[in-house]
Amino acid sequence: MPGSGGSARLPRTIRRRLRWATGPNLGLEHFVDHLRTDPTCFALLPADRPLPAGARDVRSIPLVEPAPLYAWSLLWNADRPHPRLADLLREFGRIGARERWLDHDPTRDWLPDANHARLTD
């Protein structure tokens, strides 16, 4: 893991092993089963995401000191927004404030350099 405030570039040993999954999302159980059966596979998941009961032999190690922050985007069709989009955005804002989704502590959290400028936007 790069140090706090360091480059967003992953170490070469990890980059060589990365393969981006493509295809349909068959759910967490299928995904974890793939982790169990492919010794070259690893994944990054939120630390507070419970794993399925059948994942007893999958090791989960929380990333801390520094903890990575993940930027998420909400996408929608700008030409045809859903009638309840405003409700959804309000709810994300409410939950995000309660869960501290937008908090950033540079002594605790790792954030790629390119994202630091966005904290003040």
Side-chain angles (χ1 to χ4, degrees), residues 60 77 94:
S60 175
N77 183 327
R94 187 184 68 74

Side-chain angles (χ1 to χ4, degrees), residues 11 15 20 24 35 38 44 59 84 92 109:
R15 284 194 323 265
W20 296 105
L35 282 171
D38 183 348
L44 296 174
R59 178 116 187 243
R84 298 203 52 207
F92 271 120
D109 305 321

